[in-house]
Each structure stands twice: as structure tokens, then as C-alpha cells.
């Protein structure tokens, strides 16, 4: 398990941990059986810009670091952009992930999509 | 930062006395023990001394000890060697669901070759049932392999009782004693085992060095064919330095066994009690008393094992989740699943294994750190006691795996 | 008494730089490389550095190098692993009559399991015939295993030509390069070999440490099943110190290859010429030029090998007769029989293998001593040029064996 | 190969090496294919007492030492006694032999018997 310094930094001092009380888009993916659950909270304004984002994650170091990095990356994006965030961009921002941990970055991208879908459905609006 | 090493079940640091023996052979005794000239004869003595030390440590005869290149090789040899030798008699093997992968994957390999394997279940503490065992033995059963003590949860199986049952049925009995050796007394004469695997690096010896005890009269196919080493049973120029070091390590382990295991047990119980008292929602895996003196295994609900390990590492503590050899793997431990834990919980496991150099202060520090780490990770987790996750629901969603 | 070690084909003394690497890991890096905490990550780097060093030494990719517990294990793995993986395709294997026992006994074991093995003969110099090889390859041939250089007589086989023939037929090609590695340049890309075995203790590294090169894409069954080490292909906690030492030894061997082999060859030719000039009735075994730079193999008529070895030992010289692993055996060397020597002559063989620390004075002393020893033993012998023994007659009388 | 000091002494300085020019019993056993040939020469007097004995041996250290020891043991014996010399007595006199070398002592006992037979047949008389 060779994590980059960026991964360790995001694991040790993750940004945007917790629930956003005023989130209007929430998405959760993964399963405890697989060892990862990621829940993403988004506060999206009327222009479709992500004003704030946060996460809660059950998972390994890479899952936590991916959550931290991904939420940080999408704040300020509009939801079209954010929905297109590729897992490879998260990996790159983290300076790389071990092969067997790439799926954590996938999970982060998917959780963001799920939260945006949730916002669009107006489920939590 | 001071490091606290609590992964002695994965491997141990070499003992200074063992190091001394090993480096002496490396530096001064380069002969090939099969050679007849003085360099060869001289190093051969060290090999035979080591064989005596190992034999004595388990009350075997020196001609019953065969050196191998690892505990895994000893396990593979025992299973494949007995299976191949006896395939005309029968193709049924009995083992357990909680064996080390060196046994399990070997058995799975044999299954592809037409062998039939019964994997005995275990109870919530990791113990097999003697009745299950009796019921499983068939006319065509050629081998029973049940581990002495489990590497993840530390549970010690009733080897003597198993040996009696197996012997009565005239079946060959192997036990993987890699974790037990040096931690609990082992007497192969008393135990009725026919084959027993051990490994040096678990008892403050070098890595890449194991041995298989094969009771006199038990016929076995070779795993590694070639030269006439090890009485023609295991080919390859002897790892002379490793062998001598293993012998020394075994001698030390046995001399200090009682004292050491008392030390481990005291710290183990202190660690278990401290964590159980200070951290909510934690389970102790394995048997409360029938367990290795140095083994502690927990499951912390709502959080995942690797993130605990990384946090501990940052705090200077080396520990493991599941077994070291599978720590690259994403699957939850087969042992934890076998004792009935749901996969989601099994992912939150932490194994702390104590060694002879571990101190009471170390344990206190670890408890302190664990309290903080578990709380921090739980705060990050989307699941908790009020919002538990139904595994079944999420299993469907688990399309990544 | 000063000792002169001339059995480098049996094993070599550890190089001081190798010793340094090895003892550093033993003393300071006790982590399990599969562990994720810092002790594990730190030692893993040494393992991967060693893998690079080995890969570079034979021009392979790092993902093509798998560490084993000996050269014998590498040989067994290659043969059994390829055989088992491909048994549905065919059960025919081709090898030679002069392989090391790690290959021969493995093939014999497979024969019992329904495999068919062709043992190619060799000429008087120990070379196989490419035409024989071509003729032997069948539709159901799954593996060709031909040694790079012979351990007894030093003959180097035409590996590149063999590789071309075998590749053209779409068959897998393994070579046992245990003796060649470090003595002749090896480039697996150039040679078309699919698998190649090497051993550390033949190149001034530790005993009990080998490696198998497996070309990317070549599928093979495991020999040792279990944990996920070596990319799930060879289980067992890594012999970290041995691996790091092997890497260093390989690096040194390759850096110094040209210089070293020139040194060996000079002394080799001096020894051959000196003995041939001063001792009558002696034959050089193996090829005059296509031979390992450090290998000298003689047969002295009318006397027996062990008595030469003992006499040399008493004079401070370590040498061997046949190979070290069979020196407990009474059978004459299968290699010497394969090159056409009568059993009676094969018993009088002497192998002297030169190393990097051997000096010209050593060689001169050895020649001097040999002259005396051979003469003395011949005087004791009931056979001589005037009274040779007809083997056939006495073979009937050989009721002791 | 662990030879006793006695074996090494008899190997290094073997007694009774060579041919007896006046031998009246000569026996040879073994074969080069097996790696050992032992030839024993006896000088037997009219009373059947072995006055002198010698050997020539092609073989390993144990074969040479056994030849040396055995010839030394039978000098002075009468031929009935000598014919009954057991290989185990040679082994014992040598302080032991490695298992795989016991056959060398057998060979020595047999060579003596062969030489005595030869004497009895008067072949070389
Ligand atoms: C040609 C050859 N192959 C294989 C081996 C076996 O190597 P190891 O002693 O490391 O098992 C040897 C030497 O013993 C050898 O010379
Ligand atoms: C129970 C058990 N069996 C076998 C092994 C394998 O031993 P080695 O690492 O020496 O191959 C281990 C440890 O890794 C173990 O804990």
C-alpha cells in the first residue's frame, strides 16, 4: 500500500467532513460488504453552482482521501461540470492511487453524480 | 517517533542471539553441507545442531524434522505430498474454513485435480466441533488438516482431541502450528499429530525458513524434487544460515516459553479490557480464553480496518487488519466471515499481536490512541447506531466488485 | 593451513557487499513487506530494488521476476507449473540426459503421473543436437527444458538456437541457468526463453534463495499456494534479507562479469594445461571451448574420485566429484555416463571450479598437489594401463549394489 | 561423509599397500562400475598362518581404509580365523563407517575370503 503524500495529507486532515445541514443534494454509493460507503452532501444555488460540499465515508484511506479531494474539487463548479468529474481527475489530483484502490476514486465520482441526481429530482430540495 | 510494533503474528524482529548465529554462518561457514571436504563438514554440524534444537522443541526425533523455505512451503508439502501419495486410497481431505491461505488455496488447487475437500465450519469463537469432525471422516478420507491456532483471531483448536479421533480412524493428521509454535507448548508425541508445520520468522528467527515435522513411517511425496538433501525428501542446497538461526530461535522460544507467554497474556488481557471498557460498539473476535497469549482481535462497528491501521501507523503503532498476506486484498477476512460476522463488520477488524518486547506503557499508549482514532473515524462515517446499514440492500448496489 | 576453495559450482562464499546488505535488513528491517504500516513499506522497497537488480541482470521486466527459496524450487516450479497448466493440451516434455537432478527427478515424478518425457542425449562434449531436438518436438509437446550450462562438466548449450527452434513450434522453453548466471551474459529478450531459473548462492549470495523468470503472458500453475506474495504466484512471507542480498549479488555479478570471466578463464586454462601436461591418463570432460569460464572437470583413469577429494582436502584444497548434492551417492554421475564414459572411469572424476578470489598461485599449488596425489593413488590401485579391467566382466560381479 | 580419525589415519597412511611378490593367495572383488575393486595378497605358511598380507584398492576413502585395517588385522591369524573375519569387526576397528560406506568393509572381508579360497585351490601356489 503505497500512498502518496497527497493521499496521506487528505486522509489525515480531510477537508469537508460531515453533514451539510442545508444540503439540497445528497448521494450515497457503495456497501459495507464491499468495504466502502460514500455519502456526499451538496449545497447547490439557483444558478446550479455548487456552493458547498461535504462527505461522510466508511472506507479505507484512499476512500477518505478521494472523498476529501473530490468534494474540494467540485466546490464552485456548476453541476454540469461536476457531474462530468472523472475519477481519473481525482486520482491525478491525489498524485496517484495504488491499482487496487482506483475504485475509491470511481466511488467518489459516482457519489457526486448521485447527489446531483438527487438535487435534480428535487428529492431533498 | 517511538514505534510500537504490535504485529508479531505477521512477523517478528530477529533476536540478537539468533542474529549472531546467522551472521556467523553467513560470514564464516560458506561450505555446502553436502560436500565432503572440511568446509562442508563444518557447516553440516550447524545444520544438524539446528535439527536437534527443533526436534527437541516439539519432542520429535531429529530424523522427523525437514527444513523448508517457509511455513507456506511446509503446509503445501504436507497437503500435496500426502494427497498425491495416497490418492489411490482415497481423495477426500478434511480441513476447516479458517485455515491460513497456504492450506486453503492448496486444498482448492487439489479440488481442481479431483480431490474432494470438506471445510469444517467453526462456532462464533472459531472452534471446530469434534462431532462435525467425526461425522465428516469417510472411508476415503486420507488427510485431516486442522490448524493449531488461528493467525487472525488467535483461537486454539483442541488438537489433542482431534488427534485421538483422527488416529482411531487410521487417517493422517496434519496441523499448521506456525502461529502456535513458540507460544504454546507442543509435544508431537503427546498430540498424535503426524505432520506439523512451523516457520522461523514468527519466533524471532529469519524469514524464508520453515520446517515440516513428518512422523517416522508416514509416507509422503516430495514437493521439491532434486538433490539428496534432507534425506532425499526436500531438494535444494540448504539455507545453512537460516537453518542454524531457526534452531537457535526455537531453542530460545522453548526455554522462555512459560515466562514469555505469561508476559504476553498479561498485556493481552490489559489491552482487551482497556479497549472494551473505553470504546463502545466493539467486539472481541476469537475465544475469550482458548486463545494465543499474544493475540487481540477486535471489530469496531461502523468503520473500516485500513483507515484504523493508517491512523495507528501515523501514531507510531504497527498493527494489522486480517492477515498480512492478504492485506492487499479487498475481500473481508474469510476467518471473520466463518465466525459469523457480516461482511460490513468484518471490514472493521483490527488485529494487535503482542511480542516479548512489548511493555505495559506501550499497551496504555495504544489504548489511548485507539480511543481517539475510533471516535474520529466514526464521526466521518455515514453509518452509526442510529443509522445502521442493511447489508443486503447495499450488496445489490455493490456493482464495483 | 591455508585453504584453497575450488568448488564454486557447489556454492560460493558470500561477498562482503552482499553480506552488508543482508545483515542490514536482518538487523534493521524486520517488517513484513505485505504490511501497510511503515515497517512494511520500508522493507518492501528493498524487495523491489532487488527485483529490479535481477531483472536488469537478465534484461527482463521487473514483473517477470519471482523469488523462490532455491534454484531447485525454481526448477520444480517451472516444470510442474507448466506441465500442470498445460496438461489438457498435451503431456509431452523434452529435456536432456544431463540436467541437474532438480529437473530430472521432477520429470521422473511427472512420468509417474502420466506425462511422457524425452531425455535428449548429448555428444561426447555434452552438447545436445539441434536435429535431435527438432525431431523430438511433437504435437503434444508442451515444454522444452534444457539447461544453460552444465554444473558438472561446464558445457554451455546453444540456448539461442534452441530458443528459436522451440519458439517456432509454439512450445514453452525453460532453461536452468543456475550455473550460467553470473558467469556468462544472459539476455532473456535475445534468447527467446520463456522461463529461466537462477540461484543466489552460486553468485556470492546467500543459500536458500532463488528466482524464476516467467515471461509475461506465460501461464503457470503455482507450486506453493497461499498468500498473495509475488503477485499471487509464490506464497510465503518474503525472505526479505535473502532477496535484498540476491539483488545485490546479481548487480555485482553483472557489473564485473567480463572482468571476472576473463580471470576465471585464464586460471581455468592454466589448470587444464598444467594437469594435462603433467599427469598421464587424464581426460578433460566437457567441451574444450564452449564451457563455463570457471569449470574444470577431469577423469583420472584407474582411481576413484572420493579418494582424490579426501587427499586434496588433506592438502587444503576443496573440490568435488560429480555434483555436491549427490556426493552422498554411490552411483557414478549421470552426466559423465551421458557423455559416454564407462562407469569405471566416471568414478574417477574430479571437478575443480574456480572463483573470483582464486589466484594463480592457488592453481599452481593445486597442480603440484594433484601430481603427487594421483601418482600415490594409482600406485595403490589394482588396475593400470597394463592391467585394465573389462567393465563388463566385473559388472556381473557387482553383487553388492 | 563423516569419517572417524581412525579411518582418515588408515586412508592417509595405509598399511600394507602393494603386491606381495611371494603371495600364495590372491583375491579380487568388486568392479570399477561400482566404484570399488579390492585385491588382497596373502603369504600363508605351511601351518596355515598368514605371515603377510597386502592390498591394492581402487575405491573411496573407506575402501582404502578398510583394506588397510583388514590386512593389518589378519596378519598372524590362521586362515580359518581370517576367513571368518566379519565386516563388522573391520568397521569396529575403524571406529565406525558412515552407513553408505559399510559395503566397503564387506568388500574387504570378501576379498580376504577370495584370497584364502585361491590359496586353497593352490592356484597361485
Ligand atoms: C544446474 C543447477 N540447477 C539447479 C541447482 C539447484 O540450486 P539450489 O541449490 O539453489 O537449489 C544447481 C545447484 O545446486 C545447479 O547447479
Ligand atoms: C497459520 C499460518 N500458517 C502459515 C503461515 C505461512 O508462513 P510463512 O510466512 O513462513 O510462509 C502463516 C504466516 O504467514 C500463518 O500464520
Amino acid at each position: 500500500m503505497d500512498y502518496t503524500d497527497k493521499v496521506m495529507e487528505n486522509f489525515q486532515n480531510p477537508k469537508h467532513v460531515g453533514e451539510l445541514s442545508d444540503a439540497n443534494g445528497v448521494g450515497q454509493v457503495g456497501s459495507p460488504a464491499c468495504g466502502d460507503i460514500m455519502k456526499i452532501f451538496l449545497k447547490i444555488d439557483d444558478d446550479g453552482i455548487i456552493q458547498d460540499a461535504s462527505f461522510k465515508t466508511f472506507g479505507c484511506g484512499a476512500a477518505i482521501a478521494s472523498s476529501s479531494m473530490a468534494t474540494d474539487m467540485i466546490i464552485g463548479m456548476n453541476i454540469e461540470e461536476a457531474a462530468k468529474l472523472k475519477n481519473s481527475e481525482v486520482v491525478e489530483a491525489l498524485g496517484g492511487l495504488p491499482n487496487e484502490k482506483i475504485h475509491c476514486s470511481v466511488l467518489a465520482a459516482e457519489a457526486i453524480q448521485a447527489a446531483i441526481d438527487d438535487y435534480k429530482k428535487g428529492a431533498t430540495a | 517517533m517511538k514505534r510500537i510494533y504490535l504485529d508479531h503474528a505477521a512477523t517478528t524482529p530477529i533476536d540478537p542471539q539468533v542474529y549472531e548465529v546467522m551472521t556467523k554462518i553467513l560470514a564464516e561457514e560458506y561450505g555446502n553441507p553436502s560436500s565432503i571436504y572440511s568446509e562442508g563438514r563444518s557447516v553440516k554440524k550447524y545444520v544438524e545442531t539446528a535439527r536437534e534444537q527443533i526436534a527437541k522443541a516439539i519432542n520429535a526425533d531429529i530424523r522427523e524434522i525437514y527444513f523448508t523455505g517457509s511455513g507456506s512451503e511446509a503446509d503445501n508439502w504436507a497437503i500435496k505430498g500426502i494427497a498425491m501419495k495416497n490418492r489411490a486410497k482415497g481423495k477426500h481431505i478434511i480441513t476447516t474454513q479458517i485455515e491460513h491461505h497456504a492450506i486453503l488455496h492448496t486444498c482448492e488447487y487439489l479440488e481442481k485435480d479431483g480431490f474432494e475437500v470438506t471445510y469444517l465450519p467453526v462456532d462464533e469463537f472459531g472452534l471446530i466441533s469434534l462431532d462435525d469432525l467425526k461425522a465428516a471422516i469417510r472411508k476415503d478420507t486420507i488427510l485431516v488438516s486442522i490448524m493449531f491456532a488461528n493467525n487472525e483471531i488467535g483461537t486454539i483448536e483442541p488438537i489433542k482431541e482431534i488427534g485421538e479421533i483422527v488416529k482411531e480412524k487410521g487417517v493422517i493428521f496434519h496441523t499448521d502450528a506456525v502461529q502456535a509454535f513458540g507460544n504454546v507448548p507442543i509435544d508431537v508425541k503427546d498430540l498424535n499429530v503426524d505432520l506439523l508445520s512451523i516457520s522461523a520468522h514468527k519466533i524471532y528467527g529469519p524469514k524464508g525458513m520453515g520446517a515440516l515435522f513428518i512422523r517416522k513411517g508416514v509416507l509422503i511425496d516430495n514437493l521439491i524434487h532434486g538433490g539428496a538433501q534432507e534425506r532425499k525428501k526436500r531438494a535444494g542446497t540448504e539455507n545453512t544460515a537460516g537453518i542454524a538461526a531457526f534452531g537457535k530461535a526455537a531453542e530460545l522460544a522453548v526455554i522462555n516459553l512459560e515466562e514469555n507467554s505469561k508476559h504476553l497474556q498479561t498485556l493481552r488481557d490489559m489491552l482487551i479490557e482497556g479497549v472494551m471498557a473505553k470504546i463502545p460498539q466493539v467486539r472481541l473476535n476469537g475465544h475469550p480464553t482458548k486463545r494465543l497469549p499474544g493475540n487481540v482481535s477486535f471489530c469496531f462497528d461502523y468503520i473500516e480496518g485500513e483507515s484504523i491501521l493508517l491512523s495507528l501507523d501515523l501514531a507510531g503503532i504497527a498493527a494489522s487488519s486480517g492477515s498480512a498476506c492478504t492485506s492487499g486484498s479487498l475481500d473481508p477476512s474469510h476467518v471473520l466471515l466463518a465466525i459469523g460476522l457480516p461482511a460490513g463488520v468484518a471490514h472493521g477488524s483490527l488485529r494487535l499481536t503482542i511480542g516479548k518486547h512489548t511493555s505495559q506503557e506501550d499497551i496504555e499508549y495504544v489504548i489511548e490512541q485507539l480511543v481517539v482514532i475510533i471516535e474520529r473515524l466514526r464521526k466521518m462515517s455515514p453509518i452509526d447506531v442510529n443509522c445502521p446499514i442493511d447489508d443486503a440492500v447495499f450488496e445489490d448496489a455493490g456493482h464495483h466488485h
Side-chain angles (χ1 to χ4, degrees), chain A, chain B:
Chain A
M1 207 59 51
D2 268 327
Y3 285 141
T4 62
D5 291 346
K6 260 263 150 27
V7 172
M8 286 310 292
E9 192 187 303
N10 276 274
F11 168 73
Q12 218 179 338
N13 302 301
K15 284 170 265 184
H16 321 298
V17 178
E19 302 187 18
L20 287 183
S21 55
D22 54 350
N24 51 7
V26 178
Q28 176 168 316
V29 294
S31 97
C34 297
D36 314 279
I37 304 173
M38 240 177 246
K39 192 168 184 176
I40 298 267
F41 303 83
L42 301 179
K43 167 89 192 101
I44 300 163
D45 71 13
D46 295 343
D47 301 332
I49 305 294
I50 297 173
Q51 293 290 345
D52 203 357
S54 74
F55 76 90
K56 285 196 121 182
T57 289
F58 165 96
C60 63
I64 290 170
S66 296
S67 308
S68 163
M69 181 55 82
T71 46
D72 203 47
M73 287 169 83
I74 57 169
I75 293 174
M77 284 187 181
N78 69 46
I79 53 175
E80 263 61 58
E81 271 181 283
K84 278 187 252 160
L85 180 79
K86 278 189 283 194
N87 79 297
S88 56
E89 298 171 60
V90 178
V91 173
E92 202 178 310
L94 287 169
L97 276 180
N99 268 338
E100 65 273 30
K101 296 294 186 181
I102 295 292
H103 75 278
C104 295
S105 64
V106 175
L107 220 53
E110 290 182 347
I112 291 167
Q113 277 156 17
I116 292 171
D117 288 349
D118 179 59
Y119 164 78
K120 285 185 177 163
K121 277 189 278 166
T124 53
Chain B
M1 188 198 301
K2 190 198 166 199
R3 300 280 308 171
I4 298 177
Y5 184 75
L6 285 182
D7 202 12
H8 291 84
T11 196
T12 53
I14 202 162
D15 181 278
Q17 288 183 63
V18 173
Y19 178 82
E20 201 182 303
V21 170
M22 182 147 179
T23 49
K24 179 180 155 61
I25 309 282
L26 281 174
E28 297 167 22
E29 296 283 349
Y30 61 88
N32 186 322
S34 299
S35 303
I36 70 170
Y37 44 75
S38 69
E39 287 84 351
R41 295 195 308 267
S42 158
V43 72
K44 195 176 178 186
K45 287 195 189 114
Y46 288 94
V47 171
E48 294 315 317
T49 299
R51 206 184 302 282
E52 274 170 43
Q53 288 165 322
I54 303 270
K56 204 171 154 206
I58 60 171
N59 195 23
D61 186 277
I62 48 166
R63 280 161 302 176
E64 296 176 321
I65 304 298
Y66 298 87
F67 291 112
T68 66
S70 65
S72 297
E73 185 192 326
D75 280 346
N76 273 258
W77 183 15
I79 304 288
K80 290 175 189 160
I82 293 296
M84 294 321 255
K85 189 69 174 184
N86 294 283
R87 63 208 288 198
K89 267 195 237 165
K91 298 189 95 175
H92 182 238
I93 295 170
I94 298 171
T95 184
T96 78
Q97 291 177 358
I98 61 163
E99 296 297 312
H100 189 268
H101 282 142
I103 299 288
L104 285 182
H105 290 167
T106 301
C107 286
E108 287 158 15
Y109 184 67
L110 288 175
E111 282 185 282
K112 286 194 220 158
D113 200 23
F115 285 85
E116 225 183 299
V117 182
T118 300
Y119 300 92
L120 296 176
V122 293
D123 66 14
E124 57 177 314
F125 302 115
L127 286 171
I128 69 146
S129 134
L130 296 176
D131 288 335
D132 282 356
L133 171 62
K134 277 182 212 160
I137 298 178
R138 313 187 317 205
K139 266 232 165 82
D140 62 340
T141 305
I142 50 170
L143 173 66
V144 171
S145 179
I146 294 175
M147 74 196 314
F148 206 120
N150 184 271
N151 45 307
E152 293 187 36
I153 59 175
T155 301
I156 299 173
E157 303 296 335
I159 295 301
K160 184 166 172 151
E161 289 80 355
I162 294 169
E164 274 161 19
I165 292 168
V166 176
K167 190 183 181 181
E168 198 175 294
K169 301 273 185 173
V171 175
I172 295 174
F173 178 34
H174 167 256
T175 186
D176 174 346
V178 168
Q179 289 291 337
F181 186 49
N183 286 311
V184 294
I186 296 180
D187 178 333
V188 293
K189 296 223 165 63
D190 180 49
L191 289 174
N192 280 320
V193 300
D194 296 307
L195 304 107
L196 181 139
S197 309
I198 54 179
S199 178
H201 73 100
K202 310 287 189 185
I203 60 162
Y204 307 92
K207 297 177 223 314
M209 191 65 233
L212 183 62
F213 156 79
I214 306 175
R215 185 179 295 289
K216 240 176 292 171
V218 172
L219 300 178
I220 186 168
D221 273 9
N222 288 8
L223 180 69
I224 300 182
H225 292 84
Q229 294 90 354
E230 299 298 292
R231 291 191 299 297
K232 301 198 180 165
K233 281 205 161 45
R234 197 270 187 182
T237 302
E238 295 88 340
N239 179 352
T240 47
I243 288 172
F246 192 12
K248 188 71 191 173
E251 185 187 76
L252 294 176
V254 169
I255 292 175
N256 303 317
L257 183 64
E258 207 174 324
E259 188 189 335
N260 244 327
S261 67
K262 211 175 279 169
H263 171 70
L264 300 186
Q265 198 162 324
T266 307
L267 297 184
R268 175 194 79 185
D269 294 341
M270 180 181 301
L271 178 54
I272 292 174
E273 280 155 31
V275 166
M276 304 289 279
K278 294 196 177 151
I279 302 180
Q281 301 284 343
V282 54
R283 326 174 188 213
L284 176 69
N285 303 312
H287 198 278
T289 56
K290 292 175 189 163
R291 75 184 301 136
L292 288 172
N295 174 288
V296 176
S297 171
F298 293 122
C299 275
F300 296 96
D301 290 352
Y302 318 130
I303 51 179
E304 195 271 347
E306 195 211 83
S307 56
I308 310 175
L309 295 191
L310 285 178
S311 305
L312 283 170
D313 189 32
L314 292 167
I317 301 161
S320 89
S321 176
S323 67
C325 0
T326 51
S327 55
S329 141
L330 304 173
D331 301 325
S333 146
H334 65 284
V335 176
L336 299 179
L337 297 180
I339 60 171
L341 298 186
V345 175
H347 274 295
S349 77
L350 174 70
R351 182 184 72 179
L352 299 156
T353 43
I354 296 158
K356 61 182 180 184
H357 305 300
T358 312
S359 70
Q360 188 169 330
E361 294 73 54
D362 293 342
I363 298 297
E364 283 160 7
Y365 176 75
V366 169
I367 296 170
E368 224 170 78
Q369 289 298 314
L370 263 180
V371 169
V372 177
I373 288 167
I374 301 300
E375 193 184 324
R376 177 173 168 273
L377 291 172
R378 280 186 176 160
K379 278 210 182 116
M380 247 187 254
S381 175
I383 42 179
D384 62 34
V385 65
N386 301 313
C387 176
I389 297 275
D390 183 344
D391 254 24
V393 173
F394 277 88
E395 228 132 40
D396 293 336
H399 58 281
H400 303 291
H401 302 283

